[in-house]
Amino acid sequence: MLWTASQVLRRFSTSSNSYQNKLKLAIIGQSLFGQEVYSNLRKQGHKVVGVFTVPDKDGKADPLAAAAEKDGTPVFKFPRWRLKGKPIPEVVEAYKAVGAELNVMPFCSQFIPMNVIDDPKHGSIIYHPSILPLHRGASAINWTLIHGDKKAGFTVFWADDGLDTGPILLQRECAVEPNDTVDTLYNRFLFPEGIKAMVESVQLIADGKAPRIPQTEEGASYEGIQKKSNSKVNLAQPAGAIHDWIRGHDKVPGAWTVVDGQSVTLYNSSKLRGSVPAGQPLEIEGASQPGLVTKNGLVLYGNDGKALLVKNLQFEDGKMITASKYFSSGESSSVELTDDEKKMAEEIRNIWKGILSNVTAIEDTTDFFKCGAASMDVVRLVEEVKQKCAGVQLQSEDVYMATTFRDFIQMFVRKLRGEDQEEELVIDYATREINNMTVKMPNQCFINGKFEDAENGKVYDTINPTDGSVICKVSFSSVGDVDRAVAAAKEAYYNGPWGRMNPRDRGSLLYKLADLMEEHQEELATIESVDSGAVYTLALKTHVGMSIQTFRYFAGWCDKIHGKTIPINQARPNRNLTFTKREPLGVCAIIIPWNYPLMMLAWKSAACLAAGNTLVLKPAQVTPLTALKFAELSVKAGIPKGVINILPGSGGMVGQRLSDHPDIRKLGFTGSTPIGKQIMKSCALSNLKKVSLELGGKSPLIIFGDCDMDKAVRMGMSSVYFNKGENCIAAGRLFVEESVHDEFISRVVEELKKMKIGDPLDRSTDHGPQNHKAHLDKLLEYCEVGLKEGATLVYGGKQVDRPGFFMEPTVFTNVEDHMFLAKEESFGPVMVVSKFKDGDVDGVLQRANDTEYGLASGVFTRDINKAMYVSERLDAGTVFVNTYNKTDVASPFGGFKQSGFGKDLGEDALLEYLKTKAVTVEY
């Protein structure tokens, strides 16, 4: 087993000598990567006695040389180290004169003689961007992607006289995302983690703890250097292989093909999910069938009939365009700049000048890349421009597509004005004329800002519980879809605009999302009613109405999340400042139930997003439609792609993968206690992800004889029959004082007879269908068990004789404490009533608390002292006094015992999606 540096450091971190041993280093290499390794080694206290790098190019120093010269470190710029295969004596002599104890080679394109490699006391270490012995050679990152490897990584190894064959010091790996390119893989993992690893490796050597693990030849591979001349894509192969070839050359050297007699380089490839949009055919040399220029890009087909999508094309003259504009005639007209925009253009000109220091003057025709700019200069340009103009959505891709200063300014101004918007969202709606409106329902997976079919193409029927008819077919997500959604959420969190966004701007987007939900309130309520059976008026007020309130509430929290300062003991003569920071967790998973599909989504995702996380949400399999409509509205609100991902499908597949996924840092679940336990176990075994659980309940409601009987009857019925009894905090058991028991039951039955059961879209309906057939069957069985055990069925207990999944509101009395009805939740319209003796407050409290659940509870009495006494002793997360079902977005909601832990709503909910970092500063 190989020890990674982080493991070794963790093992020895208690040593008081950690990071005290320092070395004299020679840095041999180049590039921004070399510069960062150099700078970080100096910060750790190591002495860099010499930097050996490449000569200036076009009058511009390599970043490593520039940083070292600024620090006054000796810099040597040798064009070569060998001549005709032999070391150049004066070069070797100059190197040996610095007296290095270790050579550090972060990125080196020159051949270094062995008498230099072996000269220092500790020899030489090299960074290589693959998991050796796999992909030896200079194009390791390219071949990792070309071969479709599931994992990428890097190795720090001891240099020897072979080609990347030396003993291994340290290795690290990461998952390869489905649409990773050379650039994204390098920028996301190989660059930042590689810098840390090089620094850790040097310290391990300094401390005498660095391993030397011989490389095995088993599984070893060596591939040649990829250049433009050998990077032509073979289109006569499966689409997956074509995609891997293109992304394996993106950005350098660039995979190309021939179109209309000229070479065209292909960038930004992705596997095409879902149906192919309409477009114009394009003949491509060597392709099994013509490509298709669509509004989303260029569709290419493999010889297996599957397709991929290419977003950008570059021609022989260096001009890059979006593939969707291949047939567009002429160039877009220039925009006239305002005075303020002209001032901004001059500031950007100065940024160009700072990067292209070898250029005398930045003219309108100055080409960024022809003046020697490299990929890391692109990153610098993008970040400096964004720093100057906060809010502009600028990406590296934009620089490649506007390479001259004039084109860059034109592109920038269009973005600033909002004229360069994201591509139109393509949705394959299921459309219904219902409830006096046209309802448009997305029914595909929502991943990375797009609706697309499940990876395996599977679908299932979602059913209207009012009549049992099929509403539409919905994508049945696979494990692969989960992995893609998590990858999108991870990318959005770490590299997208969401993670860098000002919290107030994040709040503005959530406010806008709430406004759009309100604008579509009737459509959302109609979908909720059709898909879940909720009575329309209740769906409008509660299911949708409270969802809107929830997003507005948490939108207001975005810029109010902060830590605190903490007084600590001073270690004289030094002084210390300790403060805490509240930070988002990262990628979160949310799994919601079917009883309040949209409201449960809002309760969890609003807090999650307000805290700055990204999310992957699985709606209940039987009620996916409002969640998918919500996804559509999130795009219209401007939520960046990848921040919200929605995956309809089964809990056993999608839910389990979310629980197991190593890149998810938090999982919020509402559902049954047995499934909650399974999720908690999976989360612990996978990566110890944070969990919050809102689980089953058997909420007691105690009605004393001195209550307001009118209110007790009205609220008691609501506590059971609200939302057809499909209510997590429903009163699962009523304890009624003996003196008023018979009156209470008589009045409840009288009111039930007036209740209208019927179509939930009928505004006069009081009671709609149960959510789905399996649940109705379970309720009927629940009633049968109650009868067999000897409980008295006073009213209902049967299925309503009409199409659909309707259940009669039901009342059982004489329920004894040992009975199934007294212990188990029905989650339906079943009132379970037990008597208690007059005045026996402590006795009824003991019976009420005699349950493994503790979600909610209630008490009705006019005696305030009794009310307070009972509320203090009821062991439940929520206690209602002389009311029931009174939840509010500002009040925390969650249970005790086997009803789970963690809170939804209120400030407490934010803490479920935040982590606290303590920082101590000595000054």
Side-chain angles (χ1 to χ4, degrees):
M1 174 179 146
L2 297 182
W3 279 82
T4 65
S6 60
Q7 289 171 314
V8 174
L9 288 176
R10 195 154 45 238
R11 185 180 176 190
F12 293 102
S13 62
T14 56
S15 170
S16 60
N17 294 321
S18 185
Y19 281 94
Q20 290 186 357
N21 302 314
K22 303 302 171 188
L23 296 176
K24 291 191 290 184
L25 308 174
I27 309 294
I28 304 175
Q30 63 205 73
S31 79
L32 186 61
F33 184 79
Q35 175 201 317
E36 289 294 323
V37 171
Y38 158 81
S39 298
N40 280 275
L41 285 169
R42 290 184 77 247
K43 287 178 184 176
Q44 293 295 336
H46 297 286
K47 182 175 178 59
V48 178
V49 294
V51 165
F52 299 85
T53 187
V54 294
D56 296 353
K57 183 179 180 181
D58 298 325
K60 185 179 180 182
D62 181 83
L64 172 58
E69 287 169 343
K70 184 178 179 182
D71 294 334
T73 302
V75 177
F76 304 84
K77 302 178 181 180
F78 300 133
R80 63 186 64 84
W81 291 71
R82 302 188 304 178
L83 188 62
K84 297 182 179 179
K86 295 183 178 180
I88 302 171
E90 56 268 31
V91 172
V92 175
E93 185 179 342
Y95 159 76
K96 288 186 176 182
V98 302
E101 297 173 318
L102 174 70
N103 291 333
V104 179
M105 303 168 68
F107 174 75
C108 183
S109 62
Q110 297 175 311
F111 288 98
I112 310 301
M114 284 308 298
N115 58 343
V116 171
I117 293 291
D118 294 336
D119 182 72
K121 172 184 175 182
H122 296 291
S124 303
I125 60 170
I126 302 177
Y127 169 90
H128 184 77
S130 80
I131 307 170
L132 290 175
L134 198 63
H135 305 312
R136 293 169 176 163
S139 295
I141 313 176
N142 304 81
W143 288 105
T144 296
L145 295 172
I146 291 168
H147 283 297
D149 293 356
K150 299 299 183 185
K151 291 182 179 179
F154 58 78
T155 304
V156 179
F157 68 96
W158 300 91
D160 65 2
D161 58 358
L163 184 61
D164 305 329
T165 57
I168 294 168
L169 191 161
L170 175 153
Q171 286 186 325
R172 287 195 183 149
E173 63 183 39
C174 71
V176 176
E177 309 298 357
N179 294 320
D180 261 333
T181 64
V182 174
D183 271 16
T184 62
L185 191 55
Y186 183 74
N187 293 330
R188 185 182 81 245
F189 183 79
L190 300 176
F191 179 83
E193 295 303 319
I195 293 164
K196 297 175 188 175
M198 288 296 282
V199 175
E200 291 174 0
S201 297
V202 170
Q203 192 59 51
L204 285 171
I205 295 169
D207 293 337
K209 299 170 183 174
R212 289 176 180 260
I213 303 170
Q215 286 194 45
T216 176
E217 289 304 306
E218 184 180 347
S221 65
Y222 172 81
E223 296 93 359
I225 297 175
Q226 287 307 101
K227 301 177 181 178
K228 199 72 175 179
S229 58
N230 61 4
S231 62
K232 183 179 180 181
V233 60
N234 173 18
L235 296 170
Q237 57 182 331
I242 298 172
H243 167 63
D244 287 338
W245 184 269
I246 294 172
R247 69 190 184 121
H249 293 81
D250 188 348
K251 288 288 186 295
V252 177
W256 58 278
T257 188
V258 177
V259 182
D260 289 337
Q262 70 165 319
S263 65
V264 177
T265 305
L266 312 170
Y267 295 110
N268 202 347
S269 165
S270 60
K271 293 180 182 178
L272 188 63
R273 310 288 179 187
S275 56
V276 177
Q280 188 171 348
L282 178 66
E283 292 293 334
I284 301 173
E285 183 180 288
S288 58
Q289 64 185 90
L292 201 63
V293 177
T294 73
K295 62 182 177 181
N296 296 335
L298 172 63
V299 175
L300 299 177
Y301 293 92
N303 60 10
D304 57 354
K306 295 182 179 179
L308 61 144
L309 185 70
V310 174
K311 290 288 188 72
N312 303 117
L313 305 175
Q314 188 174 35
F315 299 104
E316 291 176 351
D317 62 2
K319 180 177 177 58
M320 185 179 280
I321 65 166
T322 54
S324 60
K325 297 179 181 177
Y326 182 84
F327 289 115
S328 300
S329 58
E331 297 185 4
S332 58
S333 58
S334 298
V335 294
E336 190 70 28
L337 272 60
T338 65
D339 289 342
D340 286 341
E341 288 166 347
K342 288 176 181 177
K343 290 178 183 177
M344 183 64 73
E346 289 308 308
E347 291 186 25
I348 294 174
R349 193 186 299 272
N350 289 333
I351 294 173
W352 277 53
K353 178 63 179 172
I355 297 172
L356 305 176
S357 56
N358 57 315
V359 178
T360 306
I362 304 297
E363 308 290 347
D364 284 356
T365 55
T366 299
D367 188 288
F368 194 66
F369 297 102
K370 290 179 180 177
C371 290
S375 60
M376 291 311 300
D377 296 314
V378 173
V379 176
R380 177 180 166 185
L381 175 60
V382 168
E383 294 305 318
E384 286 198 43
V385 171
K386 285 162 70 175
Q387 192 174 35
K388 280 283 183 186
C389 185
V392 67
Q393 298 297 313
L394 194 64
Q395 299 176 357
S396 297
E397 203 69 42
D398 299 317
V399 183
Y400 290 105
M401 300 186 67
T403 61
T404 67
F405 182 74
R406 179 182 54 232
D407 290 346
F408 184 86
I409 291 300
Q410 290 283 308
M411 173 274 298
F412 171 79
V413 170
R414 286 191 175 96
K415 282 185 172 292
L416 202 61
R417 296 177 181 179
E419 296 172 6
D420 192 2
Q421 297 299 319
E422 286 282 324
E423 65 189 45
E424 181 185 354
L425 182 65
V426 179
I427 306 177
D428 185 13
Y429 289 113
T431 304
R432 289 289 192 92
E433 296 295 329
I434 193 168
N435 203 22
N436 299 317
M437 67 180 78
T438 301
V439 176
K440 300 168 75 175
M441 298 172 285
N443 57 353
Q444 297 167 289
C445 306
F446 182 72
I447 301 173
N448 204 26
K450 294 187 291 186
F451 285 101
E452 51 191 53
D453 291 340
E455 187 176 60
N456 55 18
K458 289 185 178 180
V459 295
Y460 70 96
D461 295 334
T462 186
I463 304 298
N464 184 343
T466 301
D467 56 11
S469 65
V470 175
I471 303 169
C472 63
K473 292 191 179 295
V474 179
S475 291
F476 191 76
S477 303
S478 67
V479 168
D481 295 314
V482 177
D483 291 345
R484 289 189 301 115
V486 173
K490 185 178 178 181
E491 175 69 15
Y493 179 76
Y494 288 104
N495 300 316
W498 188 252
R500 300 187 299 269
M501 191 177 292
N502 181 293
R504 198 160 293 172
D505 294 336
R506 189 163 67 238
S508 296
L509 289 179
L510 295 183
Y511 276 123
K512 187 174 181 181
L513 178 55
D515 291 344
L516 282 166
M517 291 170 70
E518 187 169 56
E519 185 181 322
H520 290 263
Q521 188 167 5
E522 279 139 3
E523 185 179 19
L524 285 166
T526 300
I527 296 172
E528 191 91 332
S529 185
V530 170
D531 202 24
S532 76
V535 171
Y536 176 75
T537 50
L538 178 66
L540 199 63
K541 178 182 181 295
T542 302
H543 288 236
V544 181
M546 192 173 187
S547 300
I548 296 166
Q549 293 173 26
T550 303
F551 270 97
R552 286 189 174 138
Y553 173 80
F554 283 108
W557 266 108
C558 288
D559 60 355
K560 300 170 187 68
I561 298 170
H562 56 77
K564 56 188 176 182
T565 58
I566 303 171
I568 65 170
N569 290 337
Q570 305 296 332
R572 296 178 181 178
N574 299 317
R575 303 179 68 191
N576 297 281
L577 167 68
T578 295
F579 61 91
T580 62
K581 298 173 66 180
R582 297 283 195 188
E583 297 180 349
L585 299 171
V587 180
C588 298
I590 293 173
I591 302 175
I592 57 173
W594 41 258
N595 58 327
Y596 294 103
L598 186 63
M599 194 170 79
M600 292 296 99
L601 176 153
W603 280 22
K604 294 187 186 299
S605 63
C608 175
L609 295 169
N613 302 286
T614 58
L615 65 87
V616 180
L617 182 140
K618 193 201 88 66
Q621 183 173 340
V622 292
T623 54
L625 297 180
T626 43
L628 294 170
K629 188 68 180 181
F630 167 83
E632 177 192 348
L633 298 180
S634 75
V635 176
K636 292 181 178 179
I639 305 293
K641 67 178 184 178
V643 173
I644 295 171
N645 303 272
I646 310 287
L647 297 176
S650 76
M653 185 181 297
V654 177
Q656 187 61 52
R657 179 56 180 156
L658 289 172
S659 302
D660 293 336
H661 204 291
D663 288 334
I664 290 173
R665 295 297 165 194
K666 158 73 196 275
L667 191 147
F669 171 75
T670 296
S672 73
T673 297
I675 298 300
K677 290 179 179 179
Q678 183 179 333
I679 284 174
M680 190 172 176
K681 181 178 179 180
S682 297
C683 288
L685 292 175
S686 55
N687 63 338
L688 210 64
K689 56 178 67 69
K690 188 175 182 179
V691 183
S692 58
L693 303 172
E694 195 254 277
L695 307 176
K698 188 65 176 173
S699 301
L701 174 59
I702 303 172
I703 298 174
F704 287 101
D706 60 355
C707 69
D708 178 335
M709 184 56 71
D710 290 340
K711 192 173 188 180
V713 170
R714 186 174 71 253
M715 290 290 184
M717 291 181 65
S718 174
S719 75
V720 176
Y721 304 117
F722 189 81
N723 198 47
K724 312 161 291 172
E726 296 167 354
N727 186 21
C728 50
I729 58 172
R733 191 176 182 193
L734 277 69
F735 294 93
V736 183
E737 200 160 14
E738 197 168 27
S739 60
V740 294
H741 175 274
D742 293 348
E743 178 189 358
F744 177 82
I745 297 299
S746 174
R747 291 182 61 172
V748 165
V749 170
E750 184 181 339
E751 293 300 318
L752 286 178
K753 291 176 180 177
K754 303 174 187 175
M755 189 177 285
K756 180 177 178 179
I757 302 172
D759 184 350
L761 292 175
D762 184 336
R763 305 314 192 257
S764 63
T765 294
D766 299 306
H767 189 81
Q770 304 309 136
N771 187 276
H772 51 281
K773 178 68 163 55
H775 184 55
L776 172 63
D777 293 342
K778 176 192 163 191
L779 289 171
L780 295 173
E781 183 182 349
Y782 185 88
C783 292
E784 288 175 9
V785 172
L787 284 170
K788 287 178 183 177
E789 287 192 332
T792 302
L793 177 63
V794 176
Y795 190 86
K798 299 188 296 296
Q799 182 175 354
V800 179
D801 186 16
R802 57 167 293 161
F805 312 139
F806 291 86
M807 168 87 178
E808 293 177 341
T810 300
V811 179
F812 277 99
T813 61
N814 297 320
V815 177
E816 297 179 15
D817 294 351
H818 68 275
M819 291 181 177
F820 180 79
L821 268 62
K823 295 182 176 298
E824 296 300 323
E825 179 182 28
S826 72
F827 211 66
V830 182
M831 182 179 283
V832 175
V833 185
S834 300
K835 290 180 187 177
F836 69 95
K837 293 181 180 180
D838 293 347
D840 188 11
V841 176
D842 290 325
V844 75
L845 273 170
Q846 184 177 351
R847 295 172 70 191
N849 286 329
D850 186 21
T851 172
E852 276 300 303
Y853 301 107
L855 188 56
S857 60
V859 55
F860 279 84
T861 176
R862 285 191 173 98
D863 185 337
I864 188 63
N865 293 322
K866 187 191 296 180
M868 295 305 295
Y869 180 87
V870 170
S871 65
E872 287 175 5
R873 286 160 178 77
L874 282 170
D875 194 11
T878 298
V879 181
F880 298 107
V881 178
N882 293 329
T883 188
Y884 210 89
N885 289 324
K886 183 64 177 178
T887 55
D888 187 87
V889 294
S891 178
F893 180 95
F896 299 160
K897 299 186 287 188
Q898 291 198 47
S899 288
F901 51 82
K903 297 294 182 183
D904 291 326
L905 304 178
E907 182 180 359
D908 293 48
L910 281 172
L911 303 181
E912 301 294 334
Y913 296 94
L914 292 166
K915 58 189 177 186
T916 301
K917 178 185 289 183
V919 180
T920 297
V921 181
E922 185 174 283
Y923 62 98

